[in-house]
Amino acid sequence: MPASSDTALLIEHLDVRFGKHEDEVHAVRDVSLSVRRGESFGLVGESGSGKSTVLRAIAGLARDWTGRISVDGDDLGPKRTKAFYETVQMVFQDPYGSLHPRHTVDRTLSEPGRIHEVENIDERVNELLRDVGLGPEFRFRYPHQLSGGQRQRVAIARALMLEPKILLLDEPTSALDVSVQAEILNLLQRLKAEHKLTYVLVSHDLSVIAHMCDRMAVMNAGRVVEEMTVDQLRRAEPSHNYTRQLLKASLGYDRAAVDALETFD
Ligand SMILES: Nc1ncnc2c1ncn2[C@@H]1O[C@H](COP(=O)(O)OP(=O)(O)OP(=O)(O)O)[C@@H](O)[C@H]1O
Ligand SMILES: [Mg+2]
């Protein structure tokens, strides 16, 4: 997969392992992906297929990896630099776990700004709150004083503090109520346009991917088994049998298909 100047993120032959010897889990196997600048790229697949691990390897949270990960044309080494976090940020599935329970919204948002010596942090915090649709009254609240959707808005605002170019979104709405999910997805769409962001979005829900993404890769048992455009998905043209099953299950044609998802090695 050649890297061109409009490639935001390039992954080649990525392998990620956890543990050693007999406890070793080979979670990601020979994954190659290329995400264009300004694109929303979806990563789907059943539980345990390695979706989060791909994002965690990019973010520097899963350290035992081999292969190539390159951001804006620069290959990443084993350690993530300050400059990396100014380009790539991650939003996690669980807004309850990802916010420090004893830090106010103000502290949560300011902290990355202080570490990275952002100017006018005070103004930035207000701006970020506005950006994610929270009023100034939220600034000094603690996570337990927020709803799930509001917490996820704070987590998204925190990810934007350093004005990154790429957001890694790991199931950003799946811990939320259905009605709130749509709000957060729409917020993410708006922010993407306003901040010219590139998204890598993990979801097990193909309707979320179809709504948000341009292209997607389907993972199964650590491998990418299919890459397709969302147009192909909408025309229900997956070529791989596993994707067809996922599509059926996700569109709800066939509830039994959910249980019948096979594993392809
Ligand atoms: N820290 C870890 N230590 C050991 N094994 C791990 C670790 N994190 C993930 N794994 C294993 O790696 C594999 C891939 O996990 P991963 O979390 O990437 O899956 P996923 O596709 O994100 O699943 P889900 O949809 O449930 O979030 C699984 O077998 C999982 O048990
Ligand atoms: Mg996951």
Side-chain angles (χ1 to χ4, degrees):
M1 227 177 294
S4 70
S5 59
D6 74 340
T7 304
L9 175 72
L10 180 72
I11 295 174
E12 288 180 324
H13 306 298
L14 180 70
D15 277 85
V16 188
R17 293 177 165 81
F18 296 106
K20 288 266 173 294
H21 309 299
E22 61 273 18
D23 294 330
E24 186 183 271
V25 179
H26 191 172
V28 171
R29 298 164 183 252
D30 196 26
V31 164
S32 296
L33 298 170
S34 155
V35 181
R36 286 191 285 272
R37 222 178 286 289
E39 186 174 36
S40 286
F41 190 92
L43 211 48
V44 303
E46 67 185 306
S47 184
S49 58
K51 307 177 299 292
S52 297
T53 305
V54 169
L55 294 198
R56 293 173 71 84
I58 301 167
L61 301 169
R63 295 200 166 84
D64 191 3
W65 62 271
T66 58
R68 178 178 178 204
I69 306 174
S70 141
V71 172
D72 268 348
D74 292 329
D75 286 0
L76 301 181
K79 286 234 173 76
R80 297 294 168 268
T81 59
K82 263 188 162 181
F84 172 82
Y85 295 109
E86 289 164 9
T87 310
V88 183
Q89 283 283 321
M90 185 155 167
V91 174
F92 298 88
Q93 170 173 5
D94 175 16
Y96 296 84
S98 72
L99 300 182
H100 193 296
R102 285 187 299 279
H103 290 183
T104 60
V105 169
D106 179 70
R107 181 161 174 196
T108 297
L109 298 186
S110 313
E111 219 149 64
R114 267 196 294 276
I115 294 166
H116 289 257
E117 293 161 26
V118 169
E119 283 173 19
N120 304 326
I121 291 181
D122 223 45
E123 255 169 59
R124 278 290 288 151
V125 169
N126 282 324
E127 197 177 284
L128 286 167
L129 285 174
R130 251 197 326 271
D131 251 8
V132 299
L134 294 175
E137 71 273 20
F138 288 93
R139 185 161 176 174
F140 294 99
R141 290 209 195 160
Y142 289 91
H144 74 267
Q145 298 168 316
L146 304 173
S147 71
Q150 288 163 349
R151 287 179 203 212
Q152 200 57 312
R153 286 174 193 267
V154 172
I156 293 166
R158 171 178 58 185
L160 293 177
M161 177 49 127
L162 305 177
E163 302 185 80
K165 296 179 187 161
I166 301 172
L167 286 192
L168 308 174
L169 303 158
D170 192 357
E171 307 251 16
T173 59
S174 56
L176 305 172
D177 259 25
V178 177
S179 61
V180 183
Q181 282 182 13
E183 277 176 36
I184 299 293
L185 292 174
N186 290 336
L187 169 70
L188 288 168
Q189 292 280 53
R190 175 168 66 73
L191 292 171
K192 178 169 180 285
E194 286 173 5
H195 298 264
K196 299 189 171 56
L197 296 162
T198 301
Y199 285 168
V200 183
L201 172 68
V202 165
S203 179
H204 56 260
D205 185 341
L206 284 180
S207 59
V208 168
I209 299 284
H211 178 64
M212 297 288 290
C213 297
D214 309 300
R215 285 190 306 139
M216 60 171 228
V218 181
M219 290 190 69
N220 184 244
R223 295 181 190 279
V224 169
V225 294
E226 178 150 23
E227 221 187 290
M228 63 196 302
T229 65
V230 163
D231 282 342
Q232 287 170 319
L233 173 72
R234 288 213 185 89
R235 293 197 300 268
E237 285 174 355
S239 62
H240 196 283
N241 194 24
Y242 173 72
T243 318
R244 277 200 295 275
Q245 290 183 40
L246 200 66
L247 183 63
K248 261 187 167 177
S250 153
L251 295 178
Y253 298 150
D254 181 0
R255 296 309 305 166
V258 181
D259 307 319
L261 288 175
E262 291 171 41
T263 297
F264 292 84
D265 286 307

